[in-house]
């Protein structure tokens, strides 16, 4: 019998990897708002080039002047994420159809966790499994975006600011556009979707202002703006309700290499003192790993609506 994967060093079958990447895009707010960029294993250096002045009219035989430019850069360094689980060692004895079924279920689950993890890491800078701040990510996330050239992410306080959810969305858009960046996407928490859905029009206040949001609906666009409703925006009791801005030009993310799976037959690969040795419990261990990187190139191109 030919093996679908080689013990210890195998890769997912090509069709499963394609399906996994597709599933990541289907579950992640960020992946839907901006496409992936190939990331070199040693990292990508992304440059921002800001021209400081407007163009200058030059008369015939006239002198030209310096407009000036501000050049910045961000290095996107990929880091490893992994997920593993124990399965019965019958996996190694069964036919290809059985093995493929197990791998399909595992890859589907890993894709969902990877997509959710991308959002959680990029939005909040935490380790998705523990919910604690990640030293590897540091300030490279929307909640803790580093100041770049004297600018940072604008915050609109929905909890205390006057106005309703629509007013605060308009304020966030105005902040990004006021910094001369495009608004081409928004990731919003379910609670903020509900706040928008509750808004009404007319003297009798019976007509919904956003009828497309009724009954829990989450369309891909609202008033022409691409929008993704995802619980990852408010992960781990975060105050974030919406992240608005130029996702297409000012945020980059991508994979560094193929996604391998290892079938481990010996030892205690998950360091679980209770479960112990694999052979002692007639188990094998499936582990998937990916190298993923991301960066907010221009914090001023985004605004966050929070519940403070």
């Amino acid at each position: 019998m030919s093996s679908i994967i080689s013990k210890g060093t195998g890769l997912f079958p090509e069709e499963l990897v394609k399906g996994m990447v597709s599933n990541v895009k289907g579950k992640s707010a960020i992946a839907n708002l901006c496409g992936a960029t190939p990331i070199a294993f040693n990292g990508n250096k992304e440059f921002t080039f800001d021209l400081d002045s407007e163009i200058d009219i030059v008369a015939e035989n006239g002198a030209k002047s310096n407009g000036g430019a501000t050049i910045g850069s961000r290095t996107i360094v990929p880091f490893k994420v992994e997920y593993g689980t124990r399965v019965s060692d019958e996996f190694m004895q069964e036919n290809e159809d059985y093995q493929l079924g197990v791998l399909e279920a595992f890859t589907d689950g890993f894709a969902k966790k990877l997509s959710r993890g991308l959002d959680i890491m990029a939005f909040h800078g935490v380790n998705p499994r523990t919910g604690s701040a990640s030293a590897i990510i540091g300030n490279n996330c929307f909640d803790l975006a580093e100041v770049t050239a004297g600018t940072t992410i604008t915050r609109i306080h929905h909890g205390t600011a006057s106005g309703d959810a629509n007013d605060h969305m308009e304020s966030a858009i105005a902040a990004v556009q006021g910094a001369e960046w495009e608004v081409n996407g928004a990731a919003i928490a379910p609670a903020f979707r509900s706040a928008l859905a509750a808004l009404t029009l007319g003297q009798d206040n019976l007509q919904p202002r956003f009828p497309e949001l009724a009954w829990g609906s989450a369309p891909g666009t609202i008033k022409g703006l691409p929008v993704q409703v995802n619980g990852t925006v408010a992960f781990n009791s975060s105050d974030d309700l919406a992240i608005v801005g130029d996702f297409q030009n000012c945020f980059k993310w991508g994979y560094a290499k193929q996604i391998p799976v290892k079938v481990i037959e010996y030892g205690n690969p998950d360091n679980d003192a209770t479960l112990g040795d694999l052979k002692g419990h007639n188990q094998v261990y499936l582990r998937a790993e990916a190298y993923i990187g991301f960066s907010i190139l221009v914090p001023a191109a985004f605004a966050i609506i929070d519940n403070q």
Side-chain angles (χ1 to χ4, degrees):
M1 181 184 74
S2 62
S3 293
I4 292 175
I5 51 178
S6 300
K7 300 175 186 177
T9 59
L11 295 175
F12 286 123
E14 185 177 353
E15 64 271 19
L16 293 187
V17 174
K18 289 179 180 178
M20 180 184 296
V21 174
S22 177
N23 282 341
V24 169
K25 184 175 181 181
K27 307 295 181 182
S28 166
I30 284 177
N32 275 281
L33 293 172
C34 62
T37 299
I39 304 294
F41 191 75
N42 292 326
N44 287 15
K45 195 162 190 177
E46 299 284 341
F47 291 93
T48 58
F49 200 81
D50 234 1
L51 302 184
D52 300 332
S53 305
E54 302 298 334
I55 59 172
D56 190 21
I57 296 175
V58 181
E60 185 176 358
N61 299 318
K64 300 179 180 70
S65 62
N66 177 26
T70 301
I71 302 175
S73 67
R74 290 283 178 120
T75 300
I76 306 176
V77 179
F79 53 89
K80 182 192 290 187
V81 295
E82 66 87 26
Y83 196 95
T85 187
R86 295 182 178 223
V87 298
S88 168
D89 62 5
E90 292 178 3
F91 171 79
M92 303 303 298
Q93 310 302 326
E94 292 288 346
N95 59 33
E96 288 189 0
D97 288 339
Y98 177 88
Q99 290 187 1
L100 186 59
V102 172
L103 286 177
E104 285 176 339
F106 183 59
T107 55
D108 181 61
F110 181 64
K112 291 175 181 176
K113 293 299 182 182
L114 187 60
S115 60
R116 178 174 166 81
L118 169 62
D119 284 5
I120 291 169
M121 293 184 295
F123 290 155
H124 310 297
V126 301
N127 182 334
R129 183 167 298 177
T130 65
S132 301
S134 168
I136 293 174
I137 297 174
N139 291 336
N140 182 33
C141 65
F142 285 95
D143 281 357
L144 302 171
E146 297 173 274
V147 174
T148 301
T151 64
T152 191
I153 291 178
T154 299
R155 279 194 173 264
I156 311 294
H157 301 309
H158 178 69
T160 56
S162 60
D164 57 30
N166 183 69
D167 296 329
H168 298 153
M169 178 64 81
E170 290 287 3
S171 296
I173 291 171
V176 175
Q177 292 179 336
E180 300 188 351
W181 294 100
E182 298 179 20
V183 176
N184 48 44
I188 68 176
F192 195 71
R193 187 217 65 79
S194 297
L196 290 171
L199 299 178
T200 56
L201 291 170
Q203 294 181 346
D204 55 7
N205 289 325
L206 295 178
Q207 181 180 350
R209 195 181 307 184
F210 300 99
E212 65 270 35
L213 294 177
W215 288 61
S217 296
T221 61
I222 301 176
K223 298 293 185 182
L225 177 68
V227 172
Q228 289 293 310
V229 180
N230 202 309
T232 55
V233 176
F235 174 77
N236 207 22
S237 301
S238 168
D239 287 322
D240 295 352
L241 293 173
I243 301 173
V244 183
D246 193 344
F247 285 91
Q248 294 180 12
N249 299 304
C250 296
F251 183 86
K252 299 287 185 183
W253 75 278
Y255 297 104
K257 59 183 297 185
Q258 286 182 297
I259 303 170
V261 62
K262 293 182 179 179
V263 181
I264 303 171
E265 297 185 78
Y266 302 96
N268 185 8
D270 50 3
N271 298 301
D272 193 310
T274 302
L275 294 176
D277 183 74
L278 291 172
K279 279 294 184 183
H281 293 80
N282 299 311
Q283 297 170 338
V284 295
Y285 193 79
L286 299 182
R287 171 174 285 148
E289 298 178 342
Y291 287 85
I292 192 168
F294 54 82
S295 180
I296 305 168
L297 302 182
V298 184
F302 297 93
I304 295 176
I305 303 171
D306 62 33
N307 204 29
Q308 296 180 15

